[in-house]
């Protein structure tokens, strides 16, 4: 099942995305501001939402993030691909380790992004040069939790996973370094493009899913989820050991090598750039980068 959250004529909706590219909307009320959360909640109760009977073309709607305002912070995982851990250590921006520390993490590094930084799959990434001069992209597979649990074992973990989506874990590297803790550098407004759809767990082959990212058409990241240092069951087990996971919680699983700080000199994002991320079985998000000066009103 592939689900989308969308806006049509100013009204939010959610629906099933069919193989032919059409959308079959659910009949649903005000709760649709939660994106696909009502579908996850209904499944838990053994219900299925009712389809409206309409058929929409994808071009007739504006896609929103499937979880446009997660109920709490997005869990994120740092340095979860071997080659990326090395490029990050070499970059000097790794405030979690001394610059000479080339060791791979011995346990998952977990941080978070605030829910309000989520934007849609084609929405702009807004940069403020007065706040940060080092904006980077991070293509990531994102887990959507479907079933509440605490102390979930790795062997049981996938039973708690509803499905997956794509996120760009956009990062202000200078803020990430300066403030030591990563929250500020990871949570700037618009720093979590998400989408274009949420797919149920059965749509993905976890040990063979491609993760690719292009900037202005140039392939920068090209990896496979089989190369995750800590796999998804391990991440779910680690986080849930002492923190209850709830339906709709999100876990961004980390980015592979090829981010801007991996280059000499670093290749940061600037106004006019376009970041395209494709994950096999889910689709493509593509976000333009635009610049606002400090004086512009927050919009
Ligand atoms: Mg990341």
């Amino acid at each position: 099942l592939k689900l989308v959250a969308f806006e049509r004529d100013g009204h939010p909706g959610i629906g099933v995305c069919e193989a032919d590219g059409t959308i079959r909307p659910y009949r649903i009320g005000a709760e649709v501001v939660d994106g696909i959360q009502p579908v996850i909640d209904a499944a838990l109760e053994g219900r299925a939402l009712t389809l409206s009977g309409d058929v929409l073309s994808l071009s007739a709607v504006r896609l929103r993030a499937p979880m446009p305002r997660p109920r709490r912070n997005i869990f994120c995982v740092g340095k979860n691909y071997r080659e990326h851990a090395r490029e990050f250590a070499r970059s000097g921006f790794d405030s979690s380790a001394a610059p000479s520390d080339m060791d791979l993490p011995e346990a998952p590094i977990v941080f978070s992004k605030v829910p309000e930084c989520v934007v849609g799959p084609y929405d702009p990434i807004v940069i403020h040069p007065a706040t940060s001069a080092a904006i980077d992209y991070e293509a990531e597979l994102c887990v959507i939790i479907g079933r509440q649990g605490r102390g979930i074992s790795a062997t049981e973990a996938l039973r708690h996973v509803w499905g997956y989506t794509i996120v760009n874990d956009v990062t202000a590297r200078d803020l990430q370094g300066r403030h030591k803790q990563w929250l500020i550098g990871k949570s700037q407004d618009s720093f979590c493009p998400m989408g274009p759809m949420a797919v149920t767990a059965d749509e993905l082959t976890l040990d063979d899913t491609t993760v690719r990212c292009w900037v202005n058409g140039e392939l920068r990241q090209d990896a496979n989820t089989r190369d995750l240092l800590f796999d998804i069951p391990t991440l779910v087990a680690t986080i849930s050991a002492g923190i209850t996971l709830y339906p709709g919680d999100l876990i961004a699983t980390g980015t592979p090598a090829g981010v801007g700080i991996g280059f000499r000199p670093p290749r940061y994002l600037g106004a006019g750039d376009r970041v395209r991320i494709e994950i096999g079985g889910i689709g493509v998000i593509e976000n333009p980068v635009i610049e606002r000066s400090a004086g512009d009103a927050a919009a």
Side-chain angles (χ1 to χ4, degrees):
L1 197 61
K2 298 185 172 189
L3 300 182
V4 289
F6 60 86
E7 191 179 283
R8 182 176 179 243
D9 302 329
H11 300 289
I14 53 176
V16 178
C17 191
E18 300 289 1
D20 64 4
T22 58
I23 299 170
R24 291 192 300 147
Y26 288 109
R27 190 186 305 279
I28 200 157
E31 63 269 36
V32 82
V33 294
D34 279 345
I36 66 152
Q37 181 85 41
V39 182
I40 299 173
D41 293 343
L44 274 173
E45 295 161 11
R47 296 184 290 121
L49 299 181
T50 314
L51 294 166
S52 72
D54 292 344
V55 179
L56 304 174
S57 87
L58 260 178
S59 59
V61 304
R62 186 182 78 85
L63 289 185
R64 305 167 69 215
M67 304 289 285
R69 183 62 60 90
R71 289 177 179 171
R72 58 180 184 168
N73 282 26
I74 300 156
F75 294 100
C76 301
V77 181
K79 301 199 290 185
N80 202 22
Y81 287 85
R82 188 177 306 270
E83 288 309 311
H84 172 67
R86 295 205 171 107
E87 73 179 350
F88 192 41
R90 283 193 305 265
S91 75
F93 280 100
D94 186 357
S95 55
S96 73
S100 61
D101 183 358
M102 297 292 280
D103 289 341
L104 298 171
E106 291 173 0
I109 297 169
V110 181
F111 60 95
S112 78
K113 294 169 90 79
V114 299
E116 294 78 8
C117 68
V118 173
V119 295
Y122 313 117
D123 290 347
I125 296 163
V126 183
I127 64 175
H128 298 262
T131 308
S132 167
I135 311 294
D136 210 345
Y137 50 87
E138 295 192 351
E140 305 198 12
L141 176 67
C142 183
V143 175
I144 304 171
I145 296 295
R147 188 181 299 272
Q148 180 176 330
R150 185 177 191 278
I152 302 165
S153 68
T155 51
E156 287 290 302
L158 293 181
R159 296 187 56 231
H160 292 260
V161 171
W162 179 88
Y164 304 95
T165 189
I166 301 172
V167 298
N168 185 346
D169 176 20
V170 182
T171 304
R173 296 293 179 200
D174 41 5
L175 302 183
Q176 184 183 32
R178 183 185 312 151
H179 299 285
K180 307 306 176 195
Q181 220 287 340
W182 298 354
L183 183 91
I184 291 178
K186 295 283 190 177
S187 295
Q188 303 276 298
D189 292 352
S190 82
F191 274 22
C192 192
M194 181 190 295
M197 52 189 77
V199 305
T200 47
D202 57 294
E203 299 272 352
L204 228 62
T205 309
L206 277 186
D207 58 359
D208 188 15
T209 291
T210 53
V211 178
R212 294 194 182 99
C213 175
W214 294 258
V215 177
N216 303 329
E218 178 188 339
L219 183 62
R220 297 278 185 90
Q221 297 182 280
D222 185 4
N224 192 294
T225 53
R226 75 168 79 93
D227 297 325
L228 284 168
L229 285 173
F230 300 103
D231 63 12
I232 288 165
T234 303
L235 298 178
V236 169
T238 300
I239 295 169
S240 75
I243 301 174
T244 301
L245 286 174
Y246 295 97
D249 277 348
L250 301 171
I251 305 171
T253 55
T255 203
V259 298
I261 50 161
F263 293 89
R264 287 287 167 276
R267 300 175 73 179
Y268 296 123
L269 296 175
D273 286 342
R274 295 187 74 84
V275 188
R276 175 187 172 91
I277 298 172
E278 180 185 86
I279 295 186
I282 305 178
V284 171
I285 64 174
E286 182 164 353
N287 303 88
V289 179
I290 65 171
E291 190 174 294
R292 289 218 184 105
S293 67
D296 289 352

